[in-house]
Amino acid sequence: MRMKYLFISWLVVFIGSWVMYVQYSTYTELCRGHDCRKIICDKYKTGVIDGSACSSLCAKETLYFGKCLSTKPNNQEKLGEQGNLSELVNLILSFADGNKDGRVSLPEAKSAWALLQLDEFLLMVILQDKEHTPKLMGFCGDLYVTERVEYTSLYGISLPWIIELFIPSGFRKSMDQWFTPSWPRKAKIAIGLLEFVEDIFHGPYGNFLMCDTSAKNLGYNDKYDLKMMDMKKIVPETNLKEIIKDRQCESDLDCIYGTDCRTLCDQSKMRCTTEVIQPNLAKACQLLKDYLLRGAPSDIHEELEKQLYLCIALKVTANQMEMEHSLILNNLKTLLWKKISHTNDS
């Protein structure tokens, strides 16, 4: 019996150590800021690339890599044809001129071309005049620098990855809700997300879809203004249709892009349809439901809950969807603003 317990204990320790090793190896492999800096700076010093952040990163050394926010390798889809192409080209050329001398040098052009392979960078250029897109501060090669955002998740507490391994996901979700700002500040952050949904809904460069609406992709600054932290899974609607139209399927579960962009499986053709079921607003409201209802003032709790559930129920295929979309979005923003407009948090 004692040998049996010793064997089981040894097995648990062995498996736990192996999982920790795999996690650590993955983390260190994908978060090597020193190696990235060396590669970029070698190219800068030999004149291959240039950009507005190169001097600070490589010569003055006033720009450095801090916390690693993601261990996910790149997984990009390319932007398709967009409206206002000439305006978009001018935006890109303006940003590519890092030293603002009125022309784009060959090293600057090489840096800009490398950045244009990153969809989230191009989307950030398009949305630079929007409040909830982090401001682009500079670039060097395929590295771009944005303004600092103090809080890098919508809610929750950051824990070491080794502790995360042993916390059940259900308990982690409940625990995250304990570590949130005061309700008026949560309302202001939520209004920011609703405004961002407006920004990418049928704008001058087309309609964009949020395909990973999770708390870790949203942050906020010290004034509680929402900032988008990760825009990799915000894709043009036209691109998503191209990606998914030829995908074979047996059920609707086969017709998912990212985590949140879902279409239906056409059983007669065994192919995914191209129309996304849920609009961005419905996905945003699903994320905000528990966030806003926890601690909501009693005089608006019932109406807020009603509006959130109406929002979550929105479907792209519904008649007059755009009208319902605008009505619910405006109702939610008005309800929240009325409650916090007289407070210092607004």
Side-chain angles (χ1 to χ4, degrees):
M1 185 64 74
R2 183 179 295 177
M3 289 298 293
K4 180 180 178 182
Y5 283 130
L6 282 172
F7 175 74
I8 292 172
S9 300
W10 175 84
L11 190 62
V12 169
V13 170
F14 174 77
I15 293 173
S17 301
W18 180 79
V19 170
M20 289 166 58
Y21 170 76
V22 170
Q23 290 284 338
Y24 178 76
S25 298
T26 303
Y27 183 87
T28 53
E29 181 181 348
L30 294 171
C31 283
R32 290 175 173 169
H34 175 76
D35 293 343
C36 292
R37 180 182 175 278
K38 185 178 186 305
I39 292 168
I40 290 170
C41 290
D42 285 348
K43 290 182 179 178
Y44 167 64
K45 289 170 182 176
T46 55
V48 176
I49 60 172
D50 198 1
S52 51
C54 289
S55 176
S56 299
L57 180 69
C58 304
K60 300 176 184 176
E61 296 188 358
T62 55
L63 177 65
Y64 58 91
F65 295 151
K67 178 182 176 184
C68 183
L69 297 180
S70 176
T71 57
K72 295 179 180 178
N74 286 339
N75 181 18
Q76 298 296 324
E77 300 292 345
K78 297 295 171 269
L79 282 164
E81 292 184 8
Q82 299 295 311
N84 295 354
L85 185 58
S86 60
E87 183 181 336
L88 179 58
V89 169
N90 289 334
L91 277 174
I92 293 167
L93 289 175
S94 174
F95 187 81
D97 182 13
N99 57 9
K100 304 302 178 189
D101 63 353
R103 64 187 185 87
V104 178
S105 66
L106 182 58
E108 286 174 337
K110 287 180 178 178
S111 291
W113 179 251
L115 287 169
L116 290 176
Q117 310 312 304
L118 307 174
D119 274 2
E120 76 270 19
F121 170 78
L122 189 50
L123 187 57
M124 289 179 78
V125 171
I126 290 171
L127 298 175
Q128 267 304 280
D129 62 335
K130 305 300 182 183
E131 180 183 357
H132 307 296
T133 305
K135 298 304 176 191
L136 286 164
M137 310 299 290
F139 66 97
C140 185
D142 58 359
L143 168 77
Y144 62 90
V145 183
T146 66
E147 65 175 302
R148 182 173 182 269
V149 178
E150 283 76 6
Y151 303 95
T152 56
S153 181
L154 183 63
Y155 52 72
I157 183 171
S158 179
L159 297 172
W161 62 267
I162 191 170
I163 296 176
E164 293 275 12
L165 289 174
F166 300 100
I167 300 178
S169 58
F171 179 73
R172 182 71 164 103
K173 186 177 179 182
S174 300
M175 188 176 74
D176 281 343
Q177 294 294 344
W178 304 339
F179 298 93
T180 57
S182 64
W183 191 86
R185 287 170 173 170
K186 288 196 292 185
K188 185 179 181 184
I189 294 165
I191 290 168
L193 179 55
L194 297 175
E195 289 174 344
F196 181 77
V197 169
E198 280 186 294
D199 290 341
I200 62 173
F201 183 65
H202 292 305
Y205 298 100
N207 188 32
F208 290 83
L209 299 173
M210 300 169 70
C211 294
D212 186 1
T213 316
S214 59
K216 69 180 185 301
N217 292 336
L218 311 173
Y220 54 94
N221 61 19
D222 56 359
K223 295 180 180 178
Y224 299 92
D225 297 316
L226 178 104
K227 298 291 180 180
M228 298 301 298
M229 296 303 301
D230 189 342
M231 302 173 77
K232 291 184 182 70
K233 287 296 181 183
I234 299 178
V235 299
E237 184 178 23
T238 52
N239 280 46
L240 182 64
K241 288 182 175 182
E242 286 296 316
I243 292 165
I244 212 162
K245 71 176 183 180
D246 294 321
R247 184 182 291 184
Q248 292 183 335
C249 63
E250 294 180 0
S251 71
D252 294 343
L253 294 175
D254 298 320
C255 301
I256 303 173
Y257 177 81
T259 57
D260 293 322
C261 286
R262 302 166 182 265
T263 71
L264 298 174
C265 179
D266 184 343
Q267 294 290 340
S268 64
K269 299 177 181 177
M270 303 299 283
R271 289 285 189 278
C272 294
T273 58
T274 58
E275 289 299 324
V276 173
I277 299 169
Q278 264 193 321
N280 292 332
L281 182 59
K283 291 177 277 192
C285 287
Q286 182 68 58
L287 177 64
L288 292 173
K289 179 172 70 69
D290 293 338
Y291 185 72
L292 282 177
L293 291 179
R294 183 183 177 88
S298 57
D299 57 328
I300 68 162
H301 191 284
E302 185 178 345
E303 180 62 20
L304 178 60
E305 186 174 30
K306 174 188 170 184
Q307 291 297 330
L308 285 169
Y309 276 105
L310 284 172
C311 177
I312 292 167
L314 278 172
K315 301 292 182 190
V316 171
T317 53
N319 292 331
Q320 299 180 319
M321 191 280 292
E322 290 193 22
M323 186 182 295
E324 290 180 14
H325 183 285
S326 298
L327 183 63
I328 291 172
L329 191 146
N330 288 329
N331 285 346
L332 277 169
K333 284 173 60 179
T334 301
L335 183 65
L336 295 172
W337 267 125
K338 277 186 177 180
K339 195 61 188 173
I340 68 170
S341 58
H342 63 284
T343 68
N344 292 332
D345 297 315
S346 63

